[in-house]
């Protein structure tokens, strides 16, 4: 675990060409490519477990979650698999409350929820499991000035994508923290 990286100058951003910009705060999580199997959940769990210095493989995680080739793991099976691995590795698992989308009707409410659900965890060096419809990603950072989350998929591409807080909040189904 390398810790939190804060980009405050263009010179710092240049160390990560095309990936970050001034104001970004992020953690660097190893990439595990889910490949053609459709293993987004097992790959994402593997990435976080490896980030914390533990050894595991995507196939081991897939077996714990009951994921078959072609992907598609039920959320309850992902949750059960994550609980198994965190117990085995003596890590903690927390499911963050996700407010009803109707309650996120103003920028102030979205910013307040994002500060609790994203900023505090990233500032503490913890990547965030982020489930959206039919997929799981990692939130690996944020930019408070631009009100964006930085996220990473398990498709092997280096770098981060970003979404405005409001759009990220509207897509969020579940947020989990493992540490």
């Amino acid at each position: 675990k390398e810790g939190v990286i804060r980009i405050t100058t263009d010179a710092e951003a240049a160390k990560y060409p095309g990936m970050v910009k001034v104001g970004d705060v992020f953690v660097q999580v190893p990439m595990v490519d889910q490949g053609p199997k459709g293993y987004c959940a097992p790959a994402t769990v593997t990435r976080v477990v490896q980030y914390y210095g533990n050894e595991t493989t995507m196939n081991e995680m897939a077996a714990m979650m009951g994921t078959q080739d072609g992907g598609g793991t039920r959320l309850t099976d992902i949750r059960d698999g994550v609980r198994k691995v965190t117990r085995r590795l003596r890590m903690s698992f927390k499911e963050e409350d996700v407010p009803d989308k109707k309650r996120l009707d103003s920028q102030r409410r979205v910013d307040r929820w994002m500060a609790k659900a994203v900023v505090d965890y990233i500032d503490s060096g913890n990547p965030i499991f982020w489930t959206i419809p039919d997929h799981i990603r990692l939130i690996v950072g944020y930019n408070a000035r631009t009100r964006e989350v930085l996220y990473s998929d398990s498709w092997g591409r280096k770098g981060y994508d970003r979404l405005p807080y409001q759009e990220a909040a509207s897509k969020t189904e579940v947020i989990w923290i493992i540490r």
Side-chain angles (χ1 to χ4, degrees), residues 7-10 21-24 142-148 165:
I7 303 299
T8 58
T9 67
D10 288 332
K21 58 187 175 185
V22 173
D24 286 353
Y142 67 92
N143 188 313
R145 291 192 323 199
T146 61
R147 290 186 165 97
E148 295 171 313
Y165 283 176

PDB file of all heavy atoms in Angstrom, residues 7-10 21-24 142-148 165:
ATOM      1  N   ILE A   7      -2.221  15.500  -6.033  1.00  0.00           N
ATOM      2  CA  ILE A   7      -1.617  16.233  -7.140  1.00  0.00           C
ATOM      3  C   ILE A   7      -1.906  17.718  -6.934  1.00  0.00           C
ATOM      4  O   ILE A   7      -3.061  18.153  -7.019  1.00  0.00           O
ATOM      5  CB  ILE A   7      -2.172  15.753  -8.490  1.00  0.00           C
ATOM      6  CG1 ILE A   7      -1.962  14.240  -8.662  1.00  0.00           C
ATOM      7  CG2 ILE A   7      -1.569  16.551  -9.633  1.00  0.00           C
ATOM      8  CD1 ILE A   7      -0.514  13.794  -8.653  1.00  0.00           C
ATOM      9  N   THR A   8      -0.856  18.484  -6.661  1.00  0.00           N
ATOM     10  CA  THR A   8      -1.033  19.914  -6.381  1.00  0.00           C
ATOM     11  C   THR A   8      -0.420  20.816  -7.444  1.00  0.00           C
ATOM     12  O   THR A   8      -0.689  22.015  -7.450  1.00  0.00           O
ATOM     13  CB  THR A   8      -0.434  20.278  -5.009  1.00  0.00           C
ATOM     14  OG1 THR A   8       0.953  19.935  -4.999  1.00  0.00           O
ATOM     15  CG2 THR A   8      -1.152  19.534  -3.878  1.00  0.00           C
ATOM     16  N   THR A   9       0.406  20.233  -8.333  1.00  0.00           N
ATOM     17  CA  THR A   9       1.044  21.044  -9.376  1.00  0.00           C
ATOM     18  C   THR A   9       1.000  20.307 -10.711  1.00  0.00           C
ATOM     19  O   THR A   9       0.843  19.075 -10.756  1.00  0.00           O
ATOM     20  CB  THR A   9       2.526  21.327  -9.044  1.00  0.00           C
ATOM     21  OG1 THR A   9       3.251  20.085  -9.090  1.00  0.00           O
ATOM     22  CG2 THR A   9       2.689  21.990  -7.677  1.00  0.00           C
ATOM     23  N   ASP A  10       1.185  21.054 -11.788  1.00  0.00           N
ATOM     24  CA  ASP A  10       1.271  20.439 -13.121  1.00  0.00           C
ATOM     25  C   ASP A  10       2.461  19.495 -13.210  1.00  0.00           C
ATOM     26  O   ASP A  10       2.404  18.465 -13.887  1.00  0.00           O
ATOM     27  CB  ASP A  10       1.366  21.513 -14.201  1.00  0.00           C
ATOM     28  CG  ASP A  10       0.050  22.262 -14.400  1.00  0.00           C
ATOM     29  OD1 ASP A  10      -1.026  21.677 -14.143  1.00  0.00           O
ATOM     30  OD2 ASP A  10       0.106  23.442 -14.811  1.00  0.00           O
ATOM     31  N   LYS A  21      -4.953  15.049 -12.998  1.00  0.00           N
ATOM     32  CA  LYS A  21      -4.799  16.490 -13.158  1.00  0.00           C
ATOM     33  C   LYS A  21      -4.693  17.134 -11.780  1.00  0.00           C
ATOM     34  O   LYS A  21      -4.932  16.481 -10.756  1.00  0.00           O
ATOM     35  CB  LYS A  21      -5.947  17.074 -13.968  1.00  0.00           C
ATOM     36  CG  LYS A  21      -7.322  16.841 -13.409  1.00  0.00           C
ATOM     37  CD  LYS A  21      -8.373  17.328 -14.400  1.00  0.00           C
ATOM     38  CE  LYS A  21      -9.769  17.001 -13.944  1.00  0.00           C
ATOM     39  NZ  LYS A  21     -10.780  17.351 -14.925  1.00  0.00           N
ATOM     40  N   VAL A  22      -4.319  18.404 -11.758  1.00  0.00           N
ATOM     41  CA  VAL A  22      -4.169  19.125 -10.498  1.00  0.00           C
ATOM     42  C   VAL A  22      -5.484  19.058  -9.723  1.00  0.00           C
ATOM     43  O   VAL A  22      -6.558  19.240 -10.283  1.00  0.00           O
ATOM     44  CB  VAL A  22      -3.747  20.587 -10.749  1.00  0.00           C
ATOM     45  CG1 VAL A  22      -3.745  21.387  -9.461  1.00  0.00           C
ATOM     46  CG2 VAL A  22      -2.371  20.631 -11.404  1.00  0.00           C
ATOM     47  N   GLY A  23      -5.366  18.755  -8.440  1.00  0.00           N
ATOM     48  CA  GLY A  23      -6.533  18.624  -7.569  1.00  0.00           C
ATOM     49  C   GLY A  23      -6.941  17.186  -7.313  1.00  0.00           C
ATOM     50  O   GLY A  23      -7.720  16.911  -6.404  1.00  0.00           O
ATOM     51  N   ASP A  24      -6.407  16.242  -8.105  1.00  0.00           N
ATOM     52  CA  ASP A  24      -6.749  14.842  -7.900  1.00  0.00           C
ATOM     53  C   ASP A  24      -6.087  14.306  -6.632  1.00  0.00           C
ATOM     54  O   ASP A  24      -4.935  14.625  -6.329  1.00  0.00           O
ATOM     55  CB  ASP A  24      -6.299  13.982  -9.080  1.00  0.00           C
ATOM     56  CG  ASP A  24      -7.156  14.151 -10.317  1.00  0.00           C
ATOM     57  OD1 ASP A  24      -8.201  14.843 -10.249  1.00  0.00           O
ATOM     58  OD2 ASP A  24      -6.786  13.578 -11.362  1.00  0.00           O
ATOM     59  N   TYR A 142     -10.632  11.169  -6.043  1.00  0.00           N
ATOM     60  CA  TYR A 142     -11.614  12.238  -6.224  1.00  0.00           C
ATOM     61  C   TYR A 142     -10.874  13.529  -6.546  1.00  0.00           C
ATOM     62  O   TYR A 142      -9.664  13.638  -6.375  1.00  0.00           O
ATOM     63  CB  TYR A 142     -12.473  12.416  -4.968  1.00  0.00           C
ATOM     64  CG  TYR A 142     -11.693  12.940  -3.784  1.00  0.00           C
ATOM     65  CD1 TYR A 142     -11.605  14.309  -3.532  1.00  0.00           C
ATOM     66  CD2 TYR A 142     -11.016  12.085  -2.927  1.00  0.00           C
ATOM     67  CE1 TYR A 142     -10.864  14.802  -2.468  1.00  0.00           C
ATOM     68  CE2 TYR A 142     -10.279  12.570  -1.859  1.00  0.00           C
ATOM     69  CZ  TYR A 142     -10.204  13.921  -1.635  1.00  0.00           C
ATOM     70  OH  TYR A 142      -9.464  14.411  -0.583  1.00  0.00           O
ATOM     71  N   ASN A 143     -11.635  14.498  -7.000  1.00  0.00           N
ATOM     72  CA  ASN A 143     -11.133  15.848  -7.174  1.00  0.00           C
ATOM     73  C   ASN A 143     -12.222  16.768  -6.633  1.00  0.00           C
ATOM     74  O   ASN A 143     -13.279  16.912  -7.250  1.00  0.00           O
ATOM     75  CB  ASN A 143     -10.833  16.150  -8.647  1.00  0.00           C
ATOM     76  CG  ASN A 143     -10.123  17.476  -8.837  1.00  0.00           C
ATOM     77  OD1 ASN A 143     -10.525  18.482  -8.259  1.00  0.00           O
ATOM     78  ND2 ASN A 143      -9.082  17.484  -9.657  1.00  0.00           N
ATOM     79  N   ALA A 144     -11.992  17.334  -5.460  1.00  0.00           N
ATOM     80  CA  ALA A 144     -13.008  18.173  -4.808  1.00  0.00           C
ATOM     81  C   ALA A 144     -13.263  19.463  -5.582  1.00  0.00           C
ATOM     82  O   ALA A 144     -14.385  19.974  -5.570  1.00  0.00           O
ATOM     83  CB  ALA A 144     -12.590  18.483  -3.370  1.00  0.00           C
ATOM     84  N   ARG A 145     -12.221  19.966  -6.264  1.00  0.00           N
ATOM     85  CA  ARG A 145     -12.402  21.217  -7.022  1.00  0.00           C
ATOM     86  C   ARG A 145     -13.330  21.024  -8.212  1.00  0.00           C
ATOM     87  O   ARG A 145     -14.154  21.878  -8.512  1.00  0.00           O
ATOM     88  CB  ARG A 145     -11.061  21.761  -7.488  1.00  0.00           C
ATOM     89  CG  ARG A 145     -10.229  22.266  -6.334  1.00  0.00           C
ATOM     90  CD  ARG A 145      -9.029  23.053  -6.736  1.00  0.00           C
ATOM     91  NE  ARG A 145      -8.353  22.589  -7.942  1.00  0.00           N
ATOM     92  CZ  ARG A 145      -7.122  22.896  -8.260  1.00  0.00           C
ATOM     93  NH1 ARG A 145      -6.421  23.667  -7.465  1.00  0.00           N
ATOM     94  NH2 ARG A 145      -6.580  22.452  -9.359  1.00  0.00           N
ATOM     95  N   THR A 146     -13.179  19.905  -8.911  1.00  0.00           N
ATOM     96  CA  THR A 146     -14.017  19.642 -10.082  1.00  0.00           C
ATOM     97  C   THR A 146     -15.241  18.797  -9.736  1.00  0.00           C
ATOM     98  O   THR A 146     -16.040  18.503 -10.616  1.00  0.00           O
ATOM     99  CB  THR A 146     -13.200  18.932 -11.183  1.00  0.00           C
ATOM    100  OG1 THR A 146     -12.720  17.683 -10.672  1.00  0.00           O
ATOM    101  CG2 THR A 146     -12.049  19.804 -11.654  1.00  0.00           C
ATOM    102  N   ARG A 147     -15.337  18.385  -8.466  1.00  0.00           N
ATOM    103  CA  ARG A 147     -16.442  17.533  -7.985  1.00  0.00           C
ATOM    104  C   ARG A 147     -16.573  16.268  -8.834  1.00  0.00           C
ATOM    105  O   ARG A 147     -17.629  15.948  -9.354  1.00  0.00           O
ATOM    106  CB  ARG A 147     -17.748  18.304  -7.968  1.00  0.00           C
ATOM    107  CG  ARG A 147     -17.826  19.372  -6.927  1.00  0.00           C
ATOM    108  CD  ARG A 147     -19.225  19.969  -6.902  1.00  0.00           C
ATOM    109  NE  ARG A 147     -19.455  20.737  -5.707  1.00  0.00           N
ATOM    110  CZ  ARG A 147     -19.315  22.058  -5.643  1.00  0.00           C
ATOM    111  NH1 ARG A 147     -18.915  22.734  -6.696  1.00  0.00           N
ATOM    112  NH2 ARG A 147     -19.565  22.682  -4.519  1.00  0.00           N
ATOM    113  N   GLU A 148     -15.455  15.530  -8.914  1.00  0.00           N
ATOM    114  CA  GLU A 148     -15.436  14.290  -9.687  1.00  0.00           C
ATOM    115  C   GLU A 148     -14.877  13.151  -8.838  1.00  0.00           C
ATOM    116  O   GLU A 148     -14.023  13.367  -7.989  1.00  0.00           O
ATOM    117  CB  GLU A 148     -14.522  14.428 -10.904  1.00  0.00           C
ATOM    118  CG  GLU A 148     -14.987  15.437 -11.933  1.00  0.00           C
ATOM    119  CD  GLU A 148     -13.949  15.678 -13.003  1.00  0.00           C
ATOM    120  OE1 GLU A 148     -12.755  15.879 -12.672  1.00  0.00           O
ATOM    121  OE2 GLU A 148     -14.346  15.655 -14.180  1.00  0.00           O
ATOM    122  N   TYR A 165     -19.608  14.097  -9.383  1.00  0.00           N
ATOM    123  CA  TYR A 165     -20.226  13.548  -8.170  1.00  0.00           C
ATOM    124  C   TYR A 165     -21.685  13.177  -8.392  1.00  0.00           C
ATOM    125  O   TYR A 165     -22.134  12.100  -8.013  1.00  0.00           O
ATOM    126  CB  TYR A 165     -20.168  14.565  -7.023  1.00  0.00           C
ATOM    127  CG  TYR A 165     -18.844  14.737  -6.331  1.00  0.00           C
ATOM    128  CD1 TYR A 165     -18.724  15.711  -5.351  1.00  0.00           C
ATOM    129  CD2 TYR A 165     -17.735  13.963  -6.604  1.00  0.00           C
ATOM    130  CE1 TYR A 165     -17.530  15.917  -4.678  1.00  0.00           C
ATOM    131  CE2 TYR A 165     -16.536  14.153  -5.946  1.00  0.00           C
ATOM    132  CZ  TYR A 165     -16.435  15.141  -4.978  1.00  0.00           C
ATOM    133  OH  TYR A 165     -15.262  15.341  -4.302  1.00  0.00           O
TER     134      TYR A 165
END
